[in-house]
Amino acid sequence: MKISYTIVRCFTQEMKIFFDENQLLHAPKHEFTGNGLKPYPERPDRINWILEAIEASKLELEISKPEPIDSSQPKLVHTDEYVNFLQKIPRDLKEDAPTMLLVSEARNLPSTFHGNLGRFFFDPATPITASAYTSALGSVSSALAATKDLESNNISVALCRPPGHHATRSHGGGYCFFNNVAIAAELLNRQGKTVSILDVDFHHGNGTQEIFYTTDKVQYISIHADPDSNYPFFWGSMKEIGSENGRGFNLNFPIENTCGEDDYIEILTKSIAELKEYNADVVLISMGFDTYYLDPIAGLNLDVGAYNKMGELLSDFNHIAIILEGGYHQNIGKCFVELLRGLS
Ligand code: Q9C
Ligand code: ZN
């Protein structure tokens, strides 16, 4: 037991953080919120906040550029027509979002980009820019590089931005285009490995849940704010346990918005017991920091110390990759550093 603990520590020293500069290109200005336009919270600055905090910390970490990928990787989980649509975003597009969502069968398929947006997004609050495809592909490449790195290291990190866990097979939404964690899990499955995904973003990862709903090769566990009153509303209840072969391999833990750190850690501890029982070859963490108490769009009552505890609890696992999802306050840098300290 002592030995494996020492190994984890020693690998932590060589922990690699993957990030591609293309991920910074997608920078919409506004988000439609239902009661007006607000500044877009999912900003490129989020990555800089994290990198600056890592630099200021005394942690020895290596920032690495991932290998470039092409459209065949997102197509491992997304439909060809969705990926092709994003690949063909007009180069002169400034910023756009659907003004109508297709919810029943279309009798006319429009020829324009704007007209088609409503076919490929499930909310009007995910603005698209000319760089969305390039940035989303960069984000996937970071997730894939981090999972590949687990062949030689115990822990790795992918600074994914744009995030991914809301993206379904055929639709973007919730600031997400390609489901980074799902693409990584699918690739691992195809290599014969089982995967657990623990999603600790404030919001339920509806995309990830749906992609693996009928398989027992990926266990999906999510702790998130109760969808009865929080985005994404239509998914995330405890009743959603998976179906067919996947029955019992989907676990949702909805929590009250007022939930404090002790309650949160208790549910996290329960989730970790479930992960241990499933005993996957690889554990992927959909890591959201929008549970932080100052988060501008969400927020539970977690302070920086909670992320240190989270890291400590997760340091028990042998092949674990941290995949960034949400978190919109400047202090996500500090939260990230605490998570890494806990893991090491
Ligand atoms: N007033 C992620 O954290 N809008 N996506 C919520 C809140 C959408 C969040 C509005 C939130 C999506 C990855
Ligand atoms: Zn979120």
Side-chain angles (χ1 to χ4, degrees), residues 165-166 201-203 290 326 328:
H165 74 153
H166 295 303
D201 187 275
F202 174 89
H203 306 96
D290 37 10
Y328 308 99

Side-chain angles (χ1 to χ4, degrees), residues 153-165:
N153 290 306
N154 271 354
I155 309 173
S156 64
V157 178
L159 293 185
C160 290
R161 184 242 164 223
H165 74 153

Side-chain angles (χ1 to χ4, degrees), residues 68-80 83-84 87 133 137 140 144 178 183-184 186-187 190:
I69 58 166
D70 61 34
S71 65
S72 63
Q73 280 88 348
K75 285 177 179 172
L76 289 171
V77 311
H78 296 291
T79 63
D80 285 6
V83 177
N84 294 343
Q87 200 168 6
Y133 176 78
L137 201 64
V140 174
L144 293 184
F178 295 144
I183 296 163
E186 177 66 29
L187 198 64
R190 291 184 191 206

Side-chain angles (χ1 to χ4, degrees), residues 174-188:
Y175 316 152
C176 303
F177 298 95
F178 295 144
N179 195 318
N180 308 305
V181 79
I183 296 163
E186 177 66 29
L187 198 64
L188 289 163

Side-chain angles (χ1 to χ4, degrees), residues 39-245:
Y40 192 57
E42 202 286 283
R43 301 157 49 184
D45 278 345
R46 298 174 60 235
I47 300 289
N48 298 326
W49 295 335
I50 294 171
L51 292 178
E52 279 163 21
I54 288 172
E55 206 145 299
S57 75
K58 298 257 151 62
L59 293 166
E60 280 176 47
L61 304 158
E62 195 185 314
I63 315 278
S64 312
K65 193 179 154 64
E67 288 292 312
I69 58 166
D70 61 34
S71 65
S72 63
Q73 280 88 348
K75 285 177 179 172
L76 289 171
V77 311
H78 296 291
T79 63
D80 285 6
E81 60 164 8
Y82 174 57
V83 177
N84 294 343
F85 175 75
L86 291 180
Q87 200 168 6
K88 289 195 203 113
I89 298 174
R91 299 191 66 88
D92 60 350
L93 183 79
K94 283 229 159 56
E95 188 169 333
D96 204 357
T99 45
M100 183 174 186
L101 304 175
L102 181 62
V103 292
S104 63
E105 213 179 318
R107 295 201 190 274
N108 175 57
L109 286 185
S111 61
T112 57
F113 177 79
H114 182 81
N116 273 299
L117 269 176
R119 287 169 59 198
F120 298 107
F121 285 83
F122 61 76
D123 71 30
T126 306
I128 290 87
T129 65
S131 309
Y133 176 78
T134 308
S135 288
L137 201 64
S139 197
V140 174
S141 74
S142 290
L144 293 184
T147 40
K148 183 154 177 37
D149 188 61
L150 296 178
E151 288 168 14
S152 37
N153 290 306
N154 271 354
I155 309 173
S156 64
V157 178
L159 293 185
C160 290
R161 184 242 164 223
H165 74 153
H166 295 303
T168 66
R169 289 192 185 276
S170 52
H171 288 77
Y175 316 152
C176 303
F177 298 95
F178 295 144
N179 195 318
N180 308 305
V181 79
I183 296 163
E186 177 66 29
L187 198 64
L188 289 163
N189 265 190
R190 291 184 191 206
Q191 294 164 357
K193 294 175 186 147
T194 55
V195 180
S196 280
I197 298 173
L198 175 64
D199 190 328
V200 294
D201 187 275
F202 174 89
H203 306 96
H204 178 252
N206 58 292
T208 314
Q209 165 174 296
E210 292 307 305
I211 289 166
F212 300 115
Y213 209 63
T214 58
T215 180
D216 58 351
K217 302 288 186 282
V218 175
Q219 178 194 41
Y220 178 72
I221 304 182
S222 179
I223 307 172
H224 51 268
D226 191 342
D228 199 47
S229 49
N230 295 277
Y231 186 95
F233 302 107
F234 305 110
W235 304 271
S237 80
M238 225 157 187
K239 293 186 307 222
E240 299 153 36
I241 59 165
S243 66
E244 298 166 51
N245 288 344

Side-chain angles (χ1 to χ4, degrees), residues 9-18 50-64 149 155-157 159 322 333 336-341 343-344:
R9 278 198 170 265
C10 133
F11 274 120
T12 306
Q13 296 301 312
E14 299 166 26
M15 196 191 299
K16 283 194 182 143
I17 301 195
F18 293 92
I50 294 171
L51 292 178
E52 279 163 21
I54 288 172
E55 206 145 299
S57 75
K58 298 257 151 62
L59 293 166
E60 280 176 47
L61 304 158
E62 195 185 314
I63 315 278
S64 312
D149 188 61
I155 309 173
S156 64
V157 178
L159 293 185
I322 309 293
F336 211 107
V337 164
E338 280 314 308
L339 176 82
L340 298 181
R341 284 213 175 97
L343 273 166
S344 64

